[in-house]
Amino acid sequence: MKNSIKILSLLFITLFAFSACSKDDDPADNDLFTGRYEGDVSFASTDDDEDDVSTTNGSVTVVKVGDTYTFNFSDGIPTLGNIEMKKGDNNTIIIGDGALGTITITESTLRIAYTKDGRTWTADCDR
């Protein structure tokens, strides 16, 4: 009987440990997703005062304050800021406020296709 209780207890502890470790972390939960991602970045604008940046090998630095994210691009690409990701959103689709796009962020990848006010940012980056 004692042996059965030990085995059952060990099984319960093991099951609890595996279920507590999640591979599907959420950007809204922690700062795991902040940092630098490197890969292809680009920018296009209908404003003649802004220079377009064709797809180039660059980087995006992700900064999080509260639930708001800021994406700082390299190569003279303007910063994309004040992006709010709610809990449960690893993949945010943004429609409204003159914006249309999608941002997918994980611990190891960052994908951005975002358009607002005649400006378009794209990123296909990894860590």
Side-chain angles (χ1 to χ4, degrees), residues 75-94:
D75 301 295
I77 297 174
T79 296
L80 177 59
N82 296 324
I83 304 297
E84 188 171 331
M85 297 181 83
K86 297 183 172 108
K87 191 169 185 163
D89 289 344
N90 283 30
N91 194 349
T92 299
I93 298 174
I94 302 156

Side-chain angles (χ1 to χ4, degrees), residues 9 19 27 35 42 44 47 51-52 55 82 90 93 106 109 114:
S9 296
S19 65
S42 69
D47 187 354
D51 292 332
D52 292 351
T55 302
N82 296 324
N90 283 30
I93 298 174
T106 68
T109 62
Y114 186 88

Side-chain angles (χ1 to χ4, degrees), residues 15 18 23 29 35 45 53 75 82 94 106 126-127:
L15 181 63
F18 280 117
K23 290 186 180 183
D29 290 338
S45 176
V53 177
D75 301 295
N82 296 324
I94 302 156
T106 68
D126 298 308
R127 266 202 246 209

